[in-house]
Each structure stands twice: as C-alpha cells, then as structure tokens.
C-alpha cells in the first residue's frame, strides 16, 4: 500500500526542509521525501499550494471517557482530532473514574485502538481520584501506557504531595503536567480579575492565582530535578517565572492555548458562557506577554485544552456555567488566521509549536518526516476560508467562542500511520 503526496510545500523543521517536495509512504511508513518522486503503484495525493508537515500533536485534551460520555467519548474526540488536523492527542485524567490506575489507562488505549483514527495517549492522575491525598500508582500508570501525569482541572494543593509526585516521576523521567491554580485565590471566580470584571459585575480570578503555583512548582522542580510541564499558561507573571527557570537550566516546559493567545477578557461582556474557561481569558497585557513568550522561546508549544461540555452546562447563567472550550476543530485555523496570516509567527514556527515540540516533550519519535518513521502527516490549505460552524463539529462539545467566525487556513487532510483518517473536514 503506497501513498504519494505530490507537489506540496513540505515543512519539516527537524530536517531543515522548507521546499516543494513529494512524500512517499509505503505500508504506513515514510519511505522518502524528495523532489519529483514517481511511483506507478502509489495512490497520488495532489498537494499543490498546500502545506505538508509532520502530524500535529496535542498534549492536552479532555475526552471525558470513561464516565462523562455525554460530553465526549473516545470516538467523537478522535474524530474531532482527525478533522482538526491532529494525529496524536494526550487525554487528561479528570474522567470518572479518573485515570488513576492501569486498568483505566488500558481501557482508553483499547477504545482508541478500536476507533482506529488517531494516536491517543492517556495521562495518569497524580493522586487517586484526583483528591489530592494519596499518590496514584505511577509505575503502574506508565506500564499501562501513560505518557505523563497531571491533576488537570485541579491543582495538587499540598506541596508535600506534589514534591513526592515529582520525586517519583523523576525516576521515570516522566513529565508532570501542572494545572496551576491556587483555589483559595480563584474560588468563586468567573473571569479574569481586572477592569472588565468590575465593569461586568463578575467575580474575578487574579493572575496571581496562577503565578503563585507556577512559582511553587518551579521551586519543587529545582528541588527534585523532575520534568515539570506547565499547562495553559495565561499570565505575564507565569511567562516571566518560566523564562527565569529556563535560564537557570531547570527542567521546565510549557504550553499555551489558542484561546488564551487570541481572546481577551473584554469579550466576556457578551456573557456568552463559551468564553468561560479555566484559566480565564486574560487582559491585553497578558496576551502580549504570551505572544512575546512564543517569540522568544519561553513558551514551547500550543495545546488546545479541548474541554467539551454538554449544552446544559453552558446554556445557563455565566456563574453557573462549566469552564472549558471545545478546541480541536478550530485550533489550526485560529492560529493560521490570527497569528500566521498576520505575520506574528511563521508557518514553520507553528509546526514547531504544534508538532516538533510536543513530540520532544513526550520524548516520542514523532514531529518529523524522518524516513522510516510512521507516517503521521497533516496537510493544510493556507488559502481555504471557512466559517466555524459547530453543527459540523464531530466533537460533542459545541462550546466555542469562535463559533460563527470566518477563518483562513484549515487542515484538509490528516494521515495517521499512512492511512487517510480525515479529508476536507470529513472523517474517513
Ligand atoms: O476550562 C477548563 N476545563 N479548564 C480545566 O482545567 C479543566 C477543563 C475541563 O475539564 O473541563
Ligand atoms: Zn487545566
Ligand atoms: Zn485541561
């Protein structure tokens, strides 16, 4: 079985490739990347004027299975990932039950294999039941296929338990993905604390609720030497702290979401509950710091924090609504339209942020078009302009503040292990 992707602009930053080339795939693996390949046996994909790059990897999604399948399940989540241009996703453990033992992790992998669309890696819970009291069996989680541990949705409040988790994960060189939120400071908060929260009459979540825990976890990374990855950084303070930690040579990385890069707290004034997310959309000053952090390399990657919710969790008063944004099906278009098209970052930088660096953080052999690698490839049409129509979402979560917007630059084909899993917005 052969596929030949012809005439696309191939971007493979690891191999310094940025040129019009062909990519030949044989039996699921990349055979060669060259100019003018001809192969009579291969199925041809015409990629003229398209971008051909290593498959995008999302370190941070919520697939809600087991237990909350009415919001999303592994099949609907995988479909959303595939049409969104992602070939690999890592799913967070705040399911019910939580991914706090090997059998839940194996179940998720099994369900993902049966769905057979994208690579799904589970992330184990730091503590049992995400209760913050007792460590999960971390070695067991790793044996069952977990690629990281996290308490996402919550923060491990006890510094002592966090220290123990880091000491433990250090032994396995396992990334610990931190959702940084001091719940004492953020409690009852609905949106970013500042000018607009005052005007809109909503309780604020101060930037310091994030900064305090980022500072703590940097200190604990220094103490233990463990790999700490900061989820969805949203504040200027967090960027500054992480920049200093990196300068010091600590083992820290971080991600930012498309929504935190693009949307400010001002839009909460419509009281559209799809703007309600944790951490909250911040003010312009913070957004500028995030963009700077991307440019100077403090921010390693972009992750969606795809957090699908049922309409009942959003079709209510702002203060009662669930936190979260359904992000997989708009991420590439949002970054292409708002950042690449406005010359804030290059497409190559986008590929680094969404394929190369996530693979490097996970320590997996992906994020490049190396010959012999499994063929995970994303093809993007930089000129395609479409409206965000949630009726067409494969995700069960229609909760996006980007609904109705017109965006330019969309993924048009997703190839996983040499198989086309999505084409023109349709799952294959
Ligand atoms: O907005 C959010 N939603 N932030 C989180 O940390 C958790 C997530 C969810 O699970 O819905
Ligand atoms: Zn989180
Ligand atoms: Zn999350």
């Amino acid at each position: 079985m052969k596929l030949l992707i012809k005439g696309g602009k191939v971007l493979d930053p690891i191999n310094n490739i940025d040129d019009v080339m062909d990519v030949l795939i044989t039996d699921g693996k990349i055979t060669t990347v060259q100019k003018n390949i001809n192969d009579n046996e291969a199925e041809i994909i015409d990629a003229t004027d398209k971008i051909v790059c290593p498959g995008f990897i999302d370190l941070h999604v919520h697939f809600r299975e087991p237990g909350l399948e009415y919001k999303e399940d592994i099949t609907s989540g995988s479909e959303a990932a595939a049409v969104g241009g992602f070939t690999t996703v890592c799913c967070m453990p705040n399911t019910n039950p939580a991914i706090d033992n090997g059998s839940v992790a194996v179940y998720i992998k099994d369900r993902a294999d049966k769905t057979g669309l994208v690579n799904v890696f589970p992330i184990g819970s730091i503590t049992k039941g995400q209760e913050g009291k007792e460590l999960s069996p971390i070695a067991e989680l790793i044996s069952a296929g977990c690629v990281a541990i996290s308490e996402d949705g919550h923060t491990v409040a006890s510094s002592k338990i966090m220290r123990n988790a880091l000491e433990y994960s250090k032994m396995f060189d396992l990334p610990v993905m931190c959702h940084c939120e001091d719940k004492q400071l953020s409690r009852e908060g609905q949106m970013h604390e500042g000018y607009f929260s005052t005007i809109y009459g909503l309780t604020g979540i101060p930037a310091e609720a994030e900064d305090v825990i980022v500072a703590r976890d940097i200190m604990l990374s220094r103490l233990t030497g463990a790999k700490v990855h900061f989820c969805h950084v949203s504040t200027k303070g967090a960027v500054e702290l992480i920049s200093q930690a990196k300068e010091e040579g600590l083992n820290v990385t971080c991600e930012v979401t498309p929504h935190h890069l693009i949307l400010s707290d001002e839009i909460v004034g419509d009281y559209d509950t799809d703007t309600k997310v944790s951490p909250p959309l911040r003010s312009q000053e913070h957004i500028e710091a995030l963009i700077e952090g991307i440019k100077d390399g403090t921010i390693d990657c972009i992750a969606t924090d795809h957090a699908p919710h049922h309409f009942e969790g959003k079709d209510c008063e702002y203060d009662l609504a669930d936190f979260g944004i359904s992000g997989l099906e708009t991420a590439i278009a949002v970054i292409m339209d708002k950042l690449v098209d406005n010359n804030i970052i290059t497409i190559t930088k986008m590929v680094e942020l969404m394929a190369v660096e996530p693979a490097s953080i996970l320590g997996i052999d992906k994020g490049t078009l190396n010959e012999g690698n499994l063929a995970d490839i994303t093809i993007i049409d930089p000129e395609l302009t479409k409206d965000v129509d949630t009726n067409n979402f494969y995700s069960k979560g229609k909760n996006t503040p980007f609904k109705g917007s017109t965006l330019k630059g969309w993924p048009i084909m997703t190839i996983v292990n040499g198989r086309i899993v999505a084409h023109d917005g349709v799952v294959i």
Side-chain angles (χ1 to χ4, degrees), residues 180-239:
C180 296
E181 178 182 358
D182 183 328
K183 296 264 179 182
Q184 304 284 333
L185 278 172
S186 66
R187 195 188 301 260
E188 313 289 336
Q190 306 297 320
M191 67 173 292
H192 174 61
E193 179 178 297
Y195 174 81
F196 288 109
S197 63
T198 311
I199 299 282
Y200 301 155
L202 291 171
T203 309
I205 300 170
E208 287 73 9
E210 179 166 333
D211 302 348
V212 163
I213 304 294
V214 170
R216 180 199 73 172
D217 289 350
I218 285 172
M219 289 178 185
L220 293 177
S221 162
R222 184 186 295 123
L223 177 66
T224 58
K227 246 187 200 172
V228 169
H229 174 81
F230 293 100
C231 293
H232 44 52
V233 297
S234 72
T235 67
K236 187 176 176 194
V239 176

Side-chain angles (χ1 to χ4, degrees), residues 381-398:
D381 182 346
E383 297 301 324
L384 180 64
T385 301
K386 271 199 306 186
D387 295 343
V388 176
D389 182 355
T390 56
N391 292 317
N392 296 334
F393 273 18
Y394 279 87
S395 171
K396 294 182 190 178
K398 315 297 178 191

Side-chain angles (χ1 to χ4, degrees), residues 225-265:
K227 246 187 200 172
V228 169
H229 174 81
F230 293 100
C231 293
H232 44 52
V233 297
S234 72
T235 67
K236 187 176 176 194
V239 176
E240 283 169 4
L241 288 161
I242 293 165
S243 170
Q244 286 160 16
K246 285 188 163 188
E247 247 168 62
E248 190 188 325
L250 299 183
N251 214 347
V252 300
T253 53
C254 68
E255 69 189 33
V256 65
T257 72
H259 47 269
H260 288 113
L261 282 170
I262 309 298
L263 302 173
S264 80
D265 58 345

Side-chain angles (χ1 to χ4, degrees), residues 60 152-153 179 231-232 278-279 305:
H60 188 153
D152 189 51
H179 169 116
C231 293
H232 44 52
S278 167
D305 193 6

